[in-house]
Amino acid sequence: MSSVVVVGSQWGDEGKGKIVDLLTKYADIIVRFQGGNNAGHTLVVDGKTFIFHLIPSGILYGDKTCMIGNGVVIDPKVLIDEISHLKERGLSVSAERFKISYNAHLIMPYHRAIDKAREEKKAKGKKIGTTGRGIGPCYEDKIVRCGIKVGDLLDPDLFREKLKENVDAKNFILTKQFGAQPVDYDNILRKYEGYIDILSKYVDNCSYLIDVALKEGKNVLFEGAQGTQLDIDHGTYPFVTSSNTVAGGACTGAGVGPTNIDKVIGVVKAYTTRVGGGPFPTELFDDIGDVLQERGAEFGATTGRRRRCGWLDAVVLKDAVRLNGVNSIALTKLDVLSGIDPLKICVEYEGKDRRWAYMPGSIREVGCLRPVYSEIGGWSEDISAVDDFASLPLRCREYIKRIEDISNAPIEIISVGPAREQTILLKNPFST
């Protein structure tokens, strides 16, 4: 058996969806372990585009089991819509193939209301860039122990009791602190009671099922959302998400012990992007930044927001390798760099009083950083149809080697386009 964790190594949007889809071929079970529907994976399979927000993309394979772990926060309406959409496209989402942890927390309407009201109240320049989907407030309730779990839906009396307490508390915050409209208890109750009939058949103990699968010698793939620099503990706080996006989150977010993790694959975009607010040392405001944005179709799969673009940041990459224990890299969107010469890689930062080989802990310091670049020659050839490493242009291979040398991690997967077949696989990802 083998278990592999896939994580984002930058600020998210690295192309994890495609990599997870590729690795699913070798897996038996695919588990999403953190985040909510603020994340999105876009896949192109046989010319058809699929966008996932909660369900692991492995559902596209008919013989795989997909799970949403306890570390995920779930908006039941979004999940039900996603299930319905997949069924409309002829895909099976049966209770045998899809499981939801009963310990996952539910996003409620008051979470979304508070999320939006809080962001609107922030001054310009201090806005986090939240998607407004209630992710942060839901995790907030989880930590202060007043959250509502998926399993609570199966106990109608407990659900009503917890809902009433939360509605009363949250309406006080909405009306008194933010001057916003209150939410209605009866309306929420009706909607969520309707969700129970649809979702109850999927609810199970995912931690136990994963353990059984590993003992049976099956391959398990753990799928993260967002990226390392958006981790609540290790990212550019407070411009982060509300969960642990690093590989260790797979253990707590799926209910597996760390000794059961065999490999961590870090997904790295060949350049760097970021959505929302927060510092971004290598961000480009010139024509090259526009080229990266346009060629890379850099718009958020969830929000449609234009992504900020910049050169590859190797400081961020080295942080990701260290924090996640990355022992293999999947390099994505390499084709976007064709025709750009020279290319630049940020190897360290120039701060106010010193140089930095890692991201500083002070967000004010991070905001003042200047990238120190190393240049490397670019290539002009179109590589989108290349299907083996040796056929890549020499300078392209040199760029790949430079990334390996800087990160001290081997690149074993190379993506040269959005389609499933536009991938160069150098090693079986489940071999350790």
Side-chain angles (χ1 to χ4, degrees):
M1 67 89 179
S2 184
S3 58
V4 173
V5 180
V6 175
V7 294
S9 301
Q10 295 154 307
W11 276 282
D13 306 311
E14 300 95 347
K16 294 182 296 299
K18 177 186 174 180
I19 300 304
V20 169
D21 173 64
L22 176 74
L23 302 187
T24 295
K25 175 182 177 181
Y26 304 91
D28 300 295
I29 297 175
I30 304 90
V31 186
R32 168 83 180 273
F33 64 82
Q34 52 77 218
N37 60 297
N38 55 338
H41 292 330
T42 302
L43 300 179
V44 180
V45 180
D46 296 330
K48 299 177 182 178
T49 300
F50 296 85
I51 298 178
F52 295 89
H53 298 290
L54 286 168
I55 299 175
S57 54
I59 204 74
L60 294 177
Y61 289 80
D63 59 344
K64 312 295 180 180
T65 299
C66 293
M67 298 184 184
I68 294 180
N70 57 275
V72 179
V73 291
I74 299 172
D75 185 322
K77 182 181 185 305
V78 172
L79 179 56
I80 289 168
D81 287 347
E82 199 162 304
I83 291 171
S84 299
H85 182 64
L86 289 169
K87 287 182 176 179
E88 288 170 2
R89 302 186 73 172
L91 295 167
S92 169
V93 190
S94 67
E96 291 72 34
R97 296 189 60 230
F98 178 53
K99 304 289 184 181
I100 306 168
S101 170
Y102 53 56
N103 282 326
H105 279 245
L106 291 169
I107 296 174
M108 308 298 292
Y110 47 76
H111 291 139
R112 293 192 297 273
I114 289 174
D115 203 2
K116 293 175 182 176
R118 186 179 286 160
E119 184 78 348
E120 287 171 2
K121 196 171 184 179
K122 286 187 173 75
K124 187 177 181 181
K126 293 189 175 182
K127 294 183 184 294
I128 301 299
T130 173
T131 59
R133 283 160 169 77
I135 310 298
C138 184
Y139 277 115
E140 187 178 334
D141 279 5
K142 176 179 180 177
I143 297 303
V144 298
R145 300 181 296 279
C146 67
I148 299 177
K149 300 197 296 184
V150 170
D152 296 335
L153 285 174
L154 307 183
D155 185 335
D157 291 336
L158 177 62
F159 176 73
R160 292 189 189 99
E161 178 185 325
K162 294 180 76 169
L163 178 61
K164 185 67 171 65
E165 290 174 356
N166 273 287
V167 167
D168 289 345
K170 299 307 188 287
N171 276 342
F172 181 84
I173 295 171
L174 285 167
T175 58
K176 302 300 183 183
Q177 183 176 348
F178 297 117
Q181 292 297 311
V183 296
D184 183 73
Y185 167 83
D186 292 326
N187 185 40
I188 296 173
L189 180 62
R190 282 194 301 272
K191 286 183 178 178
Y192 278 68
E193 285 180 336
Y195 298 152
I196 294 172
D197 293 336
I198 301 172
L199 296 179
S200 60
K201 64 182 179 181
Y202 299 112
V203 180
D204 215 322
N205 185 332
C206 291
S207 172
Y208 175 79
L209 296 174
I210 294 167
D211 186 62
V212 170
L214 290 173
K215 288 176 178 175
E216 291 176 349
K218 294 182 178 178
N219 289 339
V220 181
L221 179 63
F222 297 94
E223 170 187 357
Q226 287 96 25
T228 300
Q229 284 298 330
L230 293 178
D231 185 276
I232 187 67
D233 287 300
H234 303 289
T236 46
Y237 188 92
F239 299 95
V240 293
T241 193
S242 301
S243 59
N244 287 115
T245 63
V246 294
C251 297
T252 55
V256 297
T259 55
N260 283 324
I261 302 300
D262 297 306
K263 189 173 187 177
V264 178
I265 297 177
V267 185
V268 181
K269 193 177 288 184
Y271 48 100
T272 309
T273 62
R274 176 164 200 170
V275 170
F280 181 3
T282 66
E283 184 171 9
L284 294 171
F285 301 94
D286 58 10
D287 292 345
I288 293 177
D290 291 338
V291 167
L292 294 175
Q293 199 280 326
E294 291 165 12
R295 274 198 208 162
E298 295 296 351
F299 295 93
T302 297
T303 63
R305 290 183 294 181
R306 181 185 175 105
R307 295 177 188 142
R308 301 153 64 189
C309 298
W311 294 117
L312 179 66
D313 190 330
V315 179
V316 164
L317 174 54
K318 287 186 289 183
D319 275 357
V321 170
R322 170 174 50 83
L323 290 165
N324 293 289
V326 168
N327 33 34
S328 173
I329 289 175
L331 186 65
T332 62
K333 292 202 170 182
L334 188 61
D335 55 301
V336 174
L337 297 183
S338 293
I340 301 176
D341 187 18
L343 298 170
K344 295 182 181 181
I345 299 175
C346 172
V347 292
E348 59 182 352
Y349 301 137
E350 185 74 51
K352 290 182 290 185
D353 304 311
R354 56 169 284 190
R355 286 198 171 191
W356 294 87
Y358 53 87
M359 189 69 75
S362 166
I363 195 65
R364 289 191 176 182
E365 180 76 39
V366 175
C368 298
L369 296 174
R370 297 182 303 278
V372 178
Y373 288 116
S374 171
E375 285 195 2
I376 184 170
W379 61 93
S380 59
E381 298 91 336
D382 178 7
I383 63 171
S384 60
V386 175
D387 58 5
D388 70 284
F389 183 79
S391 297
L392 289 170
L394 174 62
R395 284 188 169 183
C396 183
R397 283 179 276 139
E398 289 174 344
Y399 186 72
I400 293 169
K401 182 66 165 57
R402 181 73 66 88
I403 296 171
E404 288 184 320
D405 290 343
I406 292 172
S407 65
N408 198 31
I411 293 174
E412 297 180 349
I413 301 172
I414 302 167
S415 174
V416 294
R420 189 183 272 174
E421 60 272 13
Q422 290 178 291
T423 312
I424 301 171
L425 185 63
L426 300 179
K427 183 179 179 181
N428 184 329
F430 278 90
S431 63
T432 56

